[in-house]
Amino acid sequence: MKRNYTFKMKIFYIIFIFIWITFKTTASESDEEPDSLKQNCPGILMFEQTAFLQDMSVELPCRCKPDKITAVIWFYKRHLNSKDVTLIKDSKDKVMVDDSSSKREADLYARFDVVDHDLLIVHSHPDDSGIYICGSKTGEFFYGYELDIQKNSDARVIFSDKEENPIPDFITDEFQAYTSLGKWSPCDRCGVRGEQTKIGLCYVNSKYINPRYQVKDTDVSSGSDAIPERFKPLIANRTAEIFVRSCEAPCDKNRTGILGKVVNAANNVAGYLKNRFGFLPIHKLPTQKHVSPLGGKVTITCPGSKPEDAVAWDKDKERLYRTEFLIGIRKYMNVFIDHGNNLHIKFAQFSDKGLYTCWLNGKRQASFELNVSKKPPMLFLLLQMLSA
């Protein structure tokens, strides 16, 4: 009987140890990165080709590196065969070297950063286009990108409400150039008519594209070095596209409970005021005050916004819609909104005085009270005109 009891205890301990080991193994696996996030470094350095519109924020992840590497260096070259190299060091004190222009180096300090091994670029510029390689200080290369920043200054703006047509595809027997469309942005206002935008970038499909740049997709953007030189004159005049259309969005969804009933009642009152008197009750917003001399240049940025956000502007009760105020709509514009969502007044006039309010992703964000001072000396006006 005692021998039988001892045998059962041994079996129990074996089962317990087996369960404990299985549990520990499962727990340790759950702490590791999912297989979908892991990526082995390629044996031959390839380049993931990606494109953005000018002024957009760019993030280039260092998708692979050995575990022993705790810090990376990003290498930048304008083209793969370029001799000049810029190094971006992964540390709090970023170091830029081998750059011939001190002005360019100062610009990189301001707009480039390395966070958790990934390269971040804000307010991207066409000059940022080129080859980016994540590597080590010993000269190892782990992962590469070819970045194409397409200009917004010559982008074609298409207003869907006016039934304007996008640029048609260009098709030959050897390649196809087309516009790759992104998603519509959120409606930039709520409770009133707003606008939303969509970005279209120029891309090329061809069997003659250099396969070294086809890591993620077979197609590449029009600024890529993977496109054979004989095709480039055919797409030299093809630009990015920006689509704009009207939209409407409610300010708040219906809520439940006592607090929800109060909120819904307030929304009903706001709706009544809008329908009866044509305006919405103004909520108190953070307000900045600014005084500009007559003829001065004014630029207003919506606090907390990024170029890729949905931003709208009002002046007092007037809605400054992109159909009338987007840069480039007319030959001369004293007041306009740029593609980075900033509001500009080229030469401040007395009629520009007022309360300017910005919306951020469908909600009022902040206000700016602008006053224009008395007429300055003629010399000041002349300098302002020359600087414009």
Side-chain angles (χ1 to χ4, degrees), residues 96-362:
M96 312 295 179
V97 297
D98 295 332
D99 200 289
S100 58
S101 171
S102 58
K103 183 177 179 181
R104 163 97 174 144
E105 185 174 335
D107 178 54
L108 293 178
Y109 271 115
R111 298 188 299 107
F112 283 54
D113 199 3
V114 179
V115 179
D116 293 333
H117 308 130
D118 300 341
L119 181 64
L120 305 181
I121 307 172
V122 297
H123 299 296
S124 58
H125 191 272
D127 288 344
D128 299 332
S129 300
I131 299 293
Y132 291 85
I133 302 173
C134 173
S136 70
K137 63 181 180 181
T138 57
E140 298 172 287
F141 295 154
F142 306 136
Y143 199 84
Y145 291 88
E146 186 195 40
L147 177 64
D148 177 24
I149 304 297
Q150 301 188 9
K151 292 182 180 179
N152 60 23
S153 57
D154 57 1
R156 181 177 177 181
V157 181
I158 298 169
F159 295 102
S160 301
D161 297 350
K162 298 180 180 180
E163 298 183 353
E164 296 178 347
N165 296 319
I167 302 175
D169 294 352
F170 185 84
I171 303 175
T172 71
D173 293 337
E174 295 183 315
F175 86 110
Q176 175 185 2
Y178 64 96
T179 299
S180 177
L181 299 175
K183 296 180 180 179
W184 285 104
S185 69
C187 198
D188 57 15
R189 293 176 176 87
C190 72
V192 295
R193 184 175 76 87
E195 291 176 324
Q196 54 187 166
T197 59
K198 179 169 63 175
I199 304 300
L201 300 176
C202 180
Y203 270 75
V204 171
N205 173 275
S206 173
K207 62 182 179 181
Y208 297 103
I209 290 174
N210 188 334
R212 195 174 183 184
Y213 297 82
Q214 294 176 318
V215 173
K216 289 292 184 181
D217 200 350
T218 56
D219 298 357
V220 296
S221 61
S222 59
S224 173
D225 287 344
I227 301 173
E229 288 294 330
R230 67 180 185 274
F231 294 154
K232 292 185 178 180
L234 301 176
I235 57 174
N237 296 325
R238 194 175 182 96
T239 64
E241 298 179 83
I242 301 174
F243 297 79
V244 182
R245 71 179 182 185
S246 297
C247 58
E248 290 187 7
C251 289
D252 285 298
K253 298 180 179 179
N254 289 330
R255 304 180 185 183
T256 59
I258 298 176
L259 180 60
K261 291 181 180 180
V262 174
V263 173
N264 292 334
N267 289 335
N268 292 334
V269 172
Y272 171 77
L273 292 174
K274 175 192 171 187
N275 296 329
R276 181 69 176 83
F277 302 105
F279 68 88
L280 288 172
I282 302 299
H283 301 289
K284 190 173 182 180
L285 294 173
T287 302
Q288 300 179 21
K289 294 186 178 183
H290 180 73
V291 178
S292 171
L294 183 65
K297 183 185 294 185
V298 179
T299 301
I300 309 176
T301 300
C302 193
S305 69
K306 300 189 290 284
E308 51 266 34
D309 287 329
V311 177
W313 291 94
D314 297 343
K315 181 195 174 187
D316 298 324
K317 295 182 181 180
E318 180 186 6
R319 315 285 181 203
L320 306 183
Y321 290 112
R322 285 177 173 79
T323 48
E324 296 294 331
F325 291 93
L326 186 63
I327 185 172
I329 298 300
R330 295 183 299 277
K331 187 174 182 180
Y332 176 79
M333 301 178 69
N334 190 48
V335 179
F336 60 89
I337 301 169
D338 66 22
H339 293 298
N341 300 320
N342 304 305
L343 181 67
H344 298 261
I345 302 176
K346 210 168 186 181
F347 301 102
Q349 307 295 319
F350 289 122
S351 58
D352 295 322
K353 292 193 297 184
L355 185 68
Y356 293 83
T357 301
C358 74
W359 299 67
L360 178 58
N361 295 325

